[in-house]
Amino acid sequence: MDSRLLGAYGEQIAARHLRTSGYKIKSANYKTNVGEIDIIAKDNKELVFVEVKTRASCLYGQPKDAVDITKKKHIYSMF
């Protein structure tokens, strides 16, 4: 599967999961001049920024391992 299609598929699953968990999706693929946030959602009082990592296999590690401190700092710098 093409990596863009796989990523879009993962984002759809993540958004569905957030909705069924009570979150309201405020934006998807939100672009700034320094990057993109996959999903912005709100749960009552909290605004949540979601980075989705979809993998076809765990050969190169778990998706959570792809969001390291550098990636987190980059996301924080967008806002």
Side-chain angles (χ1 to χ4, degrees):
M1 179 182 276
D2 177 277
S3 63
R4 286 184 308 194
L5 291 175
L6 182 62
Y9 177 68
E11 289 172 11
Q12 288 174 0
I13 292 171
R16 186 178 326 130
H17 173 72
L18 288 165
R19 277 192 222 90
T20 60
S21 297
Y23 290 82
K24 295 199 182 330
I25 305 300
K26 296 297 186 180
S27 184
N29 303 112
Y30 181 83
K31 292 175 179 50
T32 73
N33 59 343
V34 293
E36 177 183 282
I37 299 291
D38 293 327
I39 299 171
I40 300 174
K42 187 165 187 186
D43 175 27
N44 294 330
K45 302 173 200 164
E46 294 183 320
L47 195 58
V48 180
F49 298 88
V50 181
E51 175 71 17
V52 179
K53 294 293 185 186
T54 310
R55 300 276 172 97
S57 76
C58 293
L59 186 63
Y60 297 105
Q62 296 292 321
K64 67 181 177 78
D65 298 331
V67 185
D68 59 10
I69 191 67
T70 302
K71 180 68 174 180
K72 289 176 187 176
K73 285 181 179 179
H74 181 75
I75 292 169
Y76 295 142
S77 75
M78 289 185 211
F79 300 94

